[in-house]
Amino acid sequence: MKDNKTFLYYGLMVVLLILIGVSSFFFNYFYNMRGKDLSIENMIVSESNKMSYNVKQLDNEFFKSSSEDESYVLSLIDNINTYYNISTAFSSPVNGEYSCFVKGYIVMHQNNEEVKNVIYNGDVARYTIDGSVINLSNTFDIDFDSIYNEYQNQIKNLGIDVQSEIRFDITYNYQVFSEKLGKSIVNSRTLDVLIPISDITNIKISEDKDEMRNEFSELNQDDDTIYVIICLEFLGAIIIFVLLIVLIVKRVNGSVSVYQDRLNKIINDYSSELVNLSKLPDLTRYDIIFVQGFDDILEISRKLNLPINYIEVIEKHESTFIVLKNNQSYVYKLNSKNA
């Protein structure tokens, strides 16, 4: 019967060859998939900014509606009530924080240089977003009469006449993270109210933007990275399977070569005492006595003055040597395990 260990080796080699075939198939499949599924992820950000104002004059109690075509006597302005609305829409959900604050300046232009004196610092209002829309609207009052008086005192101290303006900035910032892009988006925008200082003035505000569109994009390389990792894993598996097969072949061939060398030596050294059988004799009517080595069966053969019958039961793996005496059979088996 064929050696069980040899059967195991050959069975393992068959399994490894199947695994190599399967791994090669998937390696080739995922290798060819590289770059095919790369896509550009887009994020559309739409912004709508609106500003308006009303003017309250010192000589009456009502507000005049905002209009940049409207002219005002600067010294008669009491208060300017300003309204702003900032709306930002993202094409896919984001999460993060946005903030807004108001800052006021007296801006003087001297010798092509701009000198800004801060006259108002508003608190920073912070909010969070977990969705697709930011909508921020509010009003603030400019106490123009007090600011103008302060400006006149500054000019008097300087003792010169300069071109100046009063400006209030509304600064809006956001920093959000997009799962779709896999990165953060940061943006900042400033709206302003500008009041040139002259006897007759026209108040200017940031131009209304019904919709400003920004497009952010990101090359989606995650799929390609995954394919490369999978290919490397299958390539590693193929290399391991091939190495295992090489080790098994070396193990089997090593055992066979030792066995073959031992058999050839026995045949060459004791050819005169050996009888090569064409088939294994029927030993059912004999009492079978197994011996440990060839020297044992050689000694029995010589004592009984009987030849040693032998046959290679499994080519390159096992040979059986037999000495028959009456109803007794002396047997020695040479194989790849005990060679």
Side-chain angles (χ1 to χ4, degrees):
M1 190 174 181
K2 192 170 183 179
D3 181 55
N4 290 335
K5 196 169 183 179
T6 303
F7 269 122
L8 180 62
Y9 282 151
Y10 282 121
L12 185 56
M13 284 174 51
V14 170
V15 171
L16 290 173
L17 288 171
I18 293 172
L19 290 175
I20 289 174
V22 173
S23 299
S24 299
F25 170 81
F26 282 109
F27 172 82
N28 184 66
Y29 173 79
F30 287 110
Y31 183 84
N32 291 330
M33 287 294 290
R34 290 179 314 112
K36 289 188 177 180
D37 285 347
L38 293 183
S39 59
I40 297 178
E41 298 290 354
N42 292 313
M43 166 75 78
I44 306 297
V45 182
S46 302
E47 294 185 11
S48 176
N49 304 320
K50 296 182 181 297
M51 288 193 71
S52 63
Y53 65 90
N54 290 309
V55 177
K56 180 184 178 183
Q57 294 184 323
L58 292 170
D59 58 354
N60 53 54
E61 291 299 325
F62 63 89
F63 286 84
K64 288 192 174 181
S65 299
S66 61
S67 171
E68 290 195 13
D69 295 330
E70 187 83 27
S71 297
Y72 301 93
V73 178
L74 193 70
S75 59
L76 296 180
I77 298 176
D78 180 17
N79 181 279
I80 302 173
N81 179 259
T82 306
Y83 167 80
Y84 62 88
N85 178 269
I86 301 168
S87 180
T88 304
F90 302 89
S91 59
S92 61
V94 296
N95 60 79
E97 184 181 81
Y98 63 99
S99 62
C100 185
F101 63 91
V102 179
K103 200 166 190 176
Y105 309 89
I106 293 175
V107 183
M108 301 179 189
H109 303 277
Q110 300 176 10
N111 301 324
N112 296 323
E113 291 185 4
E114 186 178 273
V115 178
K116 295 195 297 185
N117 296 318
V118 178
I119 55 175
Y120 177 81
N121 255 323
D123 295 332
V124 178
R126 301 185 185 278
Y127 311 90
T128 58
I129 175 176
D130 188 2
S132 301
V133 177
I134 294 174
N135 190 270
L136 184 61
S137 60
N138 208 344
T139 62
F140 65 93
D141 288 328
I142 301 174
D143 186 359
F144 188 80
D145 186 42
S146 298
I147 294 170
Y148 185 53
N149 289 331
E150 181 180 339
Y151 166 76
Q152 288 179 315
N153 290 331
Q154 291 183 16
I155 292 298
K156 186 183 294 185
N157 293 332
L158 288 173
I160 58 173
D161 188 18
V162 295
Q163 182 182 354
S164 307
E165 64 211 21
I166 295 169
R167 191 175 81 201
F168 275 74
D169 292 339
I170 303 99
T171 302
Y172 158 67
N173 305 295
Y174 65 76
Q175 180 171 341
V176 296
F177 181 78
S178 167
E179 291 285 353
K180 183 176 183 181
L181 297 181
K183 68 178 183 180
S184 294
I185 300 174
V186 180
N187 200 10
S188 178
R189 190 163 303 282
T190 299
L191 311 178
D192 55 59
V193 181
L194 185 67
I195 308 149
I197 296 179
S198 60
D199 292 338
I200 305 297
T201 190
N202 291 87
I203 301 172
K204 303 179 184 299
I205 57 175
S206 291
E207 181 183 357
D208 288 350
K209 300 291 184 182
D210 289 333
E211 186 174 351
M212 294 180 290
R213 289 169 60 88
N214 292 316
E215 183 170 344
F216 299 87
S217 62
E218 186 74 8
L219 184 64
N220 185 357
Q221 294 181 322
D222 289 343
D223 290 341
D224 188 51
T225 303
I226 291 172
Y227 291 148
V228 171
I229 292 172
I230 293 174
C231 286
L232 290 174
E233 289 177 348
F234 278 113
L235 181 61
I238 291 170
I239 293 172
I240 291 172
F241 296 151
V242 169
L243 290 175
L244 288 173
I245 287 177
V246 170
L247 290 174
I248 291 172
V249 169
K250 281 188 174 182
R251 184 70 178 268
V252 172
N253 286 344
S255 299
V256 169
S257 61
V258 172
Y259 159 81
Q260 195 67 54
D261 289 344
R262 176 64 173 153
L263 178 61
N264 290 340
K265 181 173 176 57
I266 290 173
I267 293 174
N268 291 334
D269 292 348
Y270 306 103
S271 58
S272 61
E273 300 178 67
L274 298 176
V275 176
N276 189 2
L277 303 177
S278 59
K279 66 176 183 178
L280 191 67
D282 182 8
L283 302 177
T284 55
R285 60 188 181 87
Y286 290 90
D287 293 329
I288 300 175
I289 303 171
F290 289 98
V291 298
Q292 293 297 317
F294 181 78
D295 291 341
D296 296 326
I297 203 162
L298 179 63
E299 183 180 351
I300 293 170
S301 168
R302 288 175 177 175
K303 282 183 178 180
L304 298 177
N305 198 24
L306 293 171
I308 301 174
N309 303 290
Y310 90 94
I311 182 172
E312 193 167 17
V313 181
I314 301 173
E315 186 178 1
K316 296 183 178 181
H317 282 282
E318 185 175 299
S319 294
T320 300
F321 298 84
I322 306 169
V323 175
L324 300 174
K325 171 66 174 176
N326 299 327
N327 64 336
Q328 290 183 322
S329 172
Y330 299 91
V331 177
Y332 167 65
K333 286 188 175 183
L334 174 69
N335 52 45
S336 55
K337 288 197 300 183
N338 63 13

